[in-house]
Amino acid sequence: MAPEPPLLTMSGITKSFPGVRALDGVDLDVQAGEVHCLLGQNGAGKSTLIKVLAGAHQPDGGTIGWRGEPVTLRSPIAAMRLGIATIYQELDLVEGLSVAENVHLGHEPTAAGFVVRGKAAKASTAQLLRRLGHPEIDPARLVGELSAAQQQIVSMARALSHDVRLIVMDEPSAALDPDEVDNLFRIVGDLTADGVAVVYISHRLEEIRRIGDRVTVLKDGRAVAGGLPAKSTPTREVVALMTGRNVEYVFPERPTRGPSSEPVLRVQGLARAGEFEPLDLELRPGEIVGLAGLVGSGRSEILETIYGARKPTAGQVSVDGRTLRTGSVRAAVRAGLGLAPEERKAQALLMLESVTRNVSVSSMSRFSRGGWIDRGAERGAARAATRELSLRPDNPSVPIRTLSGGNQQKAVLARWLLRGCRVLLLDEPTRGVDVGARAELYAVIRRLADEGLAVLLVSSEVPEVLGLADRVLVLREGRVVHTAPARELDEHRVLDLVMEGSPAS
Amino acid sequence: MTQPVSPPRGSTDKVPPMSELPAWRTLAARADVRTLSLLGVLVALIVIGGITKPDEFLDTRNLQLVLTQASVIGVVTVGMTFVITSGGIDLSVGAIVALSSVWATTVATQEYGFAGILFTAVLVGVGCGLVNGLLIAYGGMVPFIATLAMLASARGLALQITDGKTQIVTIDGILKLGERDSYILGIPPLVLVFAVVTIIGWLILNRTTFGRRTVAVGGNAEAARLAGIDVRRQRLYLYLLSGLCCGIAAFLLIILSGSGQNTNGNLYELDAIAAAIIGGTLLSGGRGTITGSVLGVLIFTTITNIFALNNLQSDVQQIAKGAIIVAAVLVQRRTAAHST
């Protein structure tokens, strides 16, 4: 190896968001022409790190070196000018524009400075698509008409339309069929042969083995291992690095008595084509059942379908033996279901409103007569419910947006508590909740279960599922691959299951 | 089994509203900065009017005229405020006013007298609102498009009914309501109707589950849906409400002009939207204020009056209106940035 300076060196990168320290001093160095894999569980800081690298987030501290020179990536355009391109998981293409227009968006070939030379754009796009092994994509077609895999190729063509030296790929294989994955790997191989570096993020260890050169493992916002050999580091070691935590969460004791025998919620053969396969599930009062799986494993879709927010293609949900009308949130809520959704701000909270109004929104009929709200009763009830969960500050008339993530989550729980809900569906309940507040939230969830609620918990943080749930269903790509009492599982085993999918018996 | 948390009995007395805040902050929170500044603008306009045309502007008759003119558009704006608060828009209000006013003043309708006119005006308004609401809530149409289509069709239908002619009202009961004899303590009946609509609108928006649902749907429709609110039905009701307000406004306009015309309510949609926006209702939904909307209407009507008294043409009025909208929204953005 020539003693050339690394293409990219990031050192001591820190980045905080309100309530969360997303990056806590991350180091990463990338050589020209290598495939550098980033590994880590959800919430380890991978997304934040690549957004810093793409210029989309400004780091709070640390330095970035590019070909030996210190640089500041002030904006996505600045990063692009240096030759850093990012292909995000959620593709950022404009569906109403053609392939060629998307590829050249922001740097169209022009005549006289402003007249877009459509033919030149199409020609160079066709050339890029050939290079990527997809000459069948017509540069004139609208991106919205393409398949997900083809869109990804377009995204890649866009990256290559710049003079690119480093490409960041965020789980590029997630949306692809196996033969498309082969093509992707061929492209990655071609790029690295040309001296382009690739930062490759994936949950699939076998992919990292196939194409990776080195691996950096992130955990809790730190790089716990940098530049491990991708092909030879044992799986055990990688998994251990991903999971061995510094912060041990305190989980509440499980009750010694078993849950009562009659299930409150029964899910039979529930399925949504393309999202998850038929699922059977029973939930008893007092029981917490966890769904463990990666992003895209169908966990959120399952919760939302049970809740009626998505219409199932097969199967049914019943509460206390009564079958619910499928695809109706109102039927589910009336039957006693409550959902704390994954995207709290987008799906649960009324950000302009007070805590009281956020809590009371699902049970307004209880403080109103003929549509007329008794605001005193409403305030009193909201206060009682938020106190029950020790929500801070102890003043429900403050705007909900001023609360921390953990307290906002408590407000969502208080909403269902006030409604008298019997089955609580929790989707990533501790996302955006800082570490200190998590233990309190865990205790609250367990207490609600002890008081007779049935809880269905989804989390991509395996320790959370194992620590909190009584029973765990492990999901992989829309299918339950394993079911066991939480006591009989450990983190390594679950991670093996969700990543490899082969239940080693 | 978890029992629902019961509101503590008598909590109303024990926990008075806003008890955590000092008195001045309570006052500030109640009459927020925006409302106060709108009041300030209105007062300034009155002062300007009083200085430039002291005799004419402050004359009782002129003030009665200003309030009467504000009443018609004001009633429309109350309905519009609900729609905008829910994150929607109703471009068809002016056309609905026109259609209601001509349908209610046809020779055939006038045979049924006072009640026939009132009933028809309201029914046509509600009917148009129903079509809007069904298209938007259950047909999945974008409010802008659905109400734009209604604007075109309702205007067209109004023209077809009248054939472009003014339909004179011959019912004494109606005409009398516009005369000075019917003023109650110096207040025209139209203004009283506006006041009642305003108060009811304020109560519905601020004190009822209907108002809460409106705000929730506008603030975050997905969250409202997942909280168990029937978002579609709420949207239907909101366009019905807007149509109802248009029907009432049409009736007021019939009283005011003693006739029905297919050109009635021209550009009401823009005036109503503008008044709601400068009043502080968020165009993106989730926050609405009836008080602000009414102040917005009064400000616009007063400006028009002052300009007319000073013989300034309507083009100057339009420019001034535009400038006020821009200024109000800029101020709002600033205060919004401060409060978050």
Side-chain angles (χ1 to χ4, degrees), chain A residues 138 142 151-152 229 302 383 399 426 435 463:
Chain A
D138 180 357
L142 290 185
Q151 292 191 3
Q152 190 165 41
I302 289 174
R383 177 175 299 259
L426 304 177
V435 175

Side-chain angles (χ1 to χ4, degrees), chain A residues 246-267:
Chain A
N246 303 325
V247 188
E248 278 300 331
Y249 296 133
V250 182
F251 289 101
E253 291 271 312
R254 292 190 178 88
T256 42
R257 55 162 180 81
S260 62
S261 55
E262 268 310 297
V264 54
L265 177 80
R266 185 176 272 137
V267 175

Side-chain angles (χ1 to χ4, degrees), chain B residues 20 40 53 60-61 75 107 110 126 131 141 147 153 161 193 210 218 222-223 246 259 268 273 292 296 306 318 332:
Chain B
E20 297 83 2
K53 293 281 170 183
T60 317
R61 278 166 187 265
V75 170
V107 180
Q110 291 204 32
V126 171
V131 174
M141 280 180 84
T147 59
S153 339
I161 289 174
V193 172
F210 183 91
E222 175 69 357
C246 293
S259 68
Y268 272 19
I273 293 168
I306 292 172
Q318 298 296 341
Q332 275 177 32

Side-chain angles (χ1 to χ4, degrees), chain A residues 307 309 329-330 345-349 353 357 362 364 366 368 371 373 375-376 378 380 383-384 395 401 422 451 453, chain B residues 1-2 4-5 7-8 11 17 20 207-209 212-213 215-216 220 223 225-230 233 286 339-340:
Chain A
Y307 190 61
V329 171
R330 284 167 60 72
K345 282 182 184 161
Q347 297 182 291
L349 299 179
E353 299 279 337
R357 291 190 175 193
S362 292
M364 275 189 284
R366 293 190 44 217
S368 58
I373 295 176
R375 293 191 303 154
E378 180 193 23
R383 177 175 299 259
N395 174 6
R401 62 168 194 276
R422 312 190 36 220
E451 288 167 10
L453 250 71
Chain B
M1 206 83 356
T2 322
V5 180
S11 59
E20 297 83 2
R207 291 286 184 272
T208 67
T209 52
R212 287 293 176 75
R213 294 198 192 106
V215 174
N220 190 339
R225 186 176 80 97
L226 292 180
I229 290 175
D230 192 333
R233 194 169 65 195
S339 62
T340 30

Side-chain angles (χ1 to χ4, degrees), chain A residues 132 134 152-153 156 169 171-174 176 179-191 200 207 211:
Chain A
L132 292 171
H134 280 265
Q152 190 165 41
I153 298 295
M156 227 171 278
M169 298 184 183
E171 299 216 32
S173 59
L176 300 183
D179 55 326
E180 293 167 336
V181 172
D182 288 342
N183 182 52
L184 172 76
F185 288 173
R186 191 187 55 73
I187 295 165
V188 168
D190 287 355
L191 287 170
Y200 190 93
E207 292 182 358
I211 59 161

Side-chain angles (χ1 to χ4, degrees), chain B:
Chain B
M1 206 83 356
T2 322
Q3 292 301 316
V5 180
S6 302
R9 297 281 156 237
S11 59
T12 323
D13 324 341
K14 280 179 204 152
V15 191
M18 306 251 181
S19 60
E20 297 83 2
L21 301 171
W24 67 269
R25 283 204 49 190
T26 313
L27 187 69
R30 286 263 162 86
D32 61 312
V33 184
R34 188 181 295 127
T35 311
L36 288 175
S37 57
L38 285 171
L39 262 179
V41 171
L42 189 58
V43 169
L45 282 172
I46 291 170
V47 169
I48 293 171
I51 291 171
T52 53
K53 293 281 170 183
D55 301 331
E56 295 155 54
F57 181 76
L58 294 173
D59 180 59
T60 317
R61 278 166 187 265
N62 185 55
L63 294 180
Q64 285 166 341
L65 176 71
V66 171
L67 286 175
T68 309
Q69 285 169 340
S71 297
V72 181
I73 185 68
V75 170
V76 172
T77 306
V78 170
M80 181 69 86
T81 305
F82 276 88
V83 170
I84 296 181
T85 302
S86 77
I89 196 86
D90 189 347
L91 298 180
S92 61
V93 288
I96 296 178
V97 168
L99 181 61
S100 296
S101 77
V102 300
W103 203 320
T105 53
T106 55
V107 180
T109 316
Q110 291 204 32
E111 276 175 22
Y112 296 91
F114 187 100
I117 293 183
L118 173 59
F119 187 71
T120 308
V122 168
L123 203 67
V124 171
V126 171
C128 294
L130 179 69
V131 174
N132 277 339
L134 287 175
L135 289 176
I136 292 161
Y138 296 94
M141 280 180 84
V142 179
F144 192 98
I145 303 297
T147 59
L148 189 65
M150 175 59 73
L151 185 166
S153 339
R155 278 254 174 246
L157 190 53
L159 177 61
Q160 201 171 52
I161 289 174
T162 61
D163 200 15
K165 299 189 181 78
T166 301
Q167 303 179 153
I168 305 293
V169 175
T170 53
I171 312 291
D172 284 345
I174 299 266
L175 298 172
K176 225 184 246 166
L177 278 176
E179 290 167 8
R180 305 196 64 76
D181 303 346
S182 346
Y183 287 13
I184 300 154
L185 299 171
I187 302 169
L190 266 60
V191 178
L192 288 179
V193 172
F194 175 34
V196 169
V197 169
T198 301
I199 291 167
I200 293 176
W202 189 91
L203 288 172
I204 291 178
L205 187 59
N206 295 294
R207 291 286 184 272
T208 67
T209 52
F210 183 91
R212 287 293 176 75
R213 294 198 192 106
T214 305
V215 174
V217 167
N220 190 339
E222 175 69 357
R225 186 176 80 97
L226 292 180
I229 290 175
D230 192 333
V231 173
R232 291 196 286 190
R233 194 169 65 195
Q234 186 65 22
R235 289 209 167 114
L236 171 66
Y237 288 165
L238 285 160
Y239 289 90
L240 272 180
L241 178 71
S242 179
L244 171 68
C245 287
C246 293
I248 297 172
F251 184 67
L252 299 186
L253 201 53
I254 292 168
I255 295 173
L256 189 63
S257 62
S259 68
Q261 275 176 272
N262 66 297
T263 52
N264 274 345
N266 193 28
L267 296 183
Y268 272 19
E269 55 278 5
L270 296 188
D271 284 345
I273 293 168
I277 299 307
I278 74 160
T281 297
L282 287 183
L283 193 54
S284 51
R287 180 175 287 163
T289 150
I290 298 289
T291 323
S293 294
V294 169
L295 286 171
V297 168
L298 290 176
I299 288 172
F300 277 156
T301 322
T302 310
I303 291 177
T304 309
N305 182 256
I306 292 172
F307 279 38
L309 290 177
N310 285 291
N311 292 320
L312 288 165
Q313 300 304 314
S314 63
D315 49 0
V316 188
Q317 293 175 27
Q318 298 296 341
I319 296 168
K321 272 192 196 175
I324 288 176
I325 295 170
V326 171
V329 173
L330 284 179
V331 168
Q332 275 177 32
R333 288 180 59 118
R334 180 133 334 155
T335 47
H338 276 298
S339 62
T340 30

Side-chain angles (χ1 to χ4, degrees), chain A residues 44 72 134 373 468 474:
Chain A
T72 314
H134 280 265
I373 295 176
L468 200 53
V474 182

